[in-house]
Amino acid sequence: MTVNEEIREDIIIDEERLIDAIERQDIKAFREEYLILHPYDRATFYEKVDEKHRKVMYFFLSPKELAEIFETSEIDDGEYKQFLQEMDTTYAADMISYMFVDNAVDVLKELDKSQIATYLTLMNKDAAAQIKSLLHYEEYTAGSIMTTEYVSIPQNSTVRSAMTILKNEAPSAETIYYVFVVDEDNHLTGVVSLRDLIIADEDTLIQSIMNERVVSVLVSDDQEDVARMTQDYNLLAVPVVDFQYHMLGIITVDDILDVIDEEASDDYSKLAAVSNMDSFDKNSLSAAKKRIPWLIILLILGMLTANLIDLFTDTISQVALLAAFIPLIAGTAGNSGTQALAVAVRGIATRDIEDESKFKLLLREAGTGLITGLVCAVFVVGLIFIWKHEFIIALLVGAAILVSIFVATISGSFIPLFMHRMKIDPAVASGPFITTLNDVISIIIYLGLATTFISSLS
């Protein structure tokens, strides 16, 4: 048995003991087993058990202990409301007040306004005031994900006084690895790492060891831009300031990871033409509701393809074999367009594609489309000739595939770049949309060529 298997077995045994303690109403046994677990394992157990067992846990755990579970859990946004409704209202309010402010705000934003007001009223005034100060920031901005629980020190202080401040504020701060330096008007003037404070002489002035070139973000900056900046500079936390450079809060790396995951999920949802893939739907009806609108839209767009084929009925009726290769040509063009789309969207998301290189990207993709189109065309001509012994039809299909792949590759690159230029999320140019567009183009090319050379085919 491997080490991982032994650990996994221990966790399973712990779960059985915990459930048994809950069912026996043995608070002492439950707390002894539960509180020695890693916070992640505690959160996993909390999410796994049913409502009946969770309601007993609320009596066994203090609001502060439950807050730690909510801090480390990966609860889907829609489940916060359900879990809070299981608790006594006062207990829930106390639990939220013990959370870090930014995480508490994330929870409350999933609730109705009346529920938010109720919980804020029941909290202690200091916690409620801090949460209110962040609730008004627009969603998806730096202000909406920052926390006000950070350590700041005056720029004219010494290392000794800075360490005293750090020790006093550390228990409530979300991170202490960066200590931010401010002037008497709370303007951000520098940053000092915990390492620099530890190794510096106690009588050294903070001004002499701080780094004045601080990477910061505006409170109104988009959260995706903040995440990218944090990645670029390898930061554990980034300070948030207003337009006058007043220090407002910080954004820590754990929130940055959440943003990256959220943005990636959002882009993937759009590329797959599926709404809200942030959570896994356990209910078939709920999953169907998210997919049906997109499927109906794509179905309507697909009717264009059917209408086009209907326009070429006379051509197809004269050479029935032409119909056999429509799915082949449309599918190949769609796949080629989706590949180009993925490259373009990824380049835009990572900012690898700058304004000066967009034209180069289109040229490169055009070359790629030409090469792949030629290879596929030669391959399919040989295959059809061996299979059907129809050289003219084989040439026709090969020519259609060559042109279709070339056009599909260019459109797959151009459309997201154009949408990005128009300030529209390029991920909306989803795979299914590009595929449908390329179906239309490839059928026009294929059946148009067939109609032009119908005499040779007959």
Side-chain angles (χ1 to χ4, degrees), residues 269-290:
S269 299
K270 291 171 181 174
L271 282 170
V274 179
S275 300
N276 189 14
M277 288 182 63
D278 288 340
S279 59
F280 180 79
D281 288 297
K282 298 178 182 179
N283 184 286
S284 298
L285 182 61
S286 175
K289 284 180 179 178
K290 294 177 181 178

Side-chain angles (χ1 to χ4, degrees), residues 242-262:
D242 62 15
F243 71 99
Q244 293 179 321
Y245 221 63
H246 291 112
M247 183 78 179
L248 299 178
I250 64 170
I251 300 172
T252 52
V253 70
D254 60 316
D255 295 309
I256 294 300
L257 292 174
D258 290 339
V259 169
I260 293 171
D261 180 65
E262 180 183 329

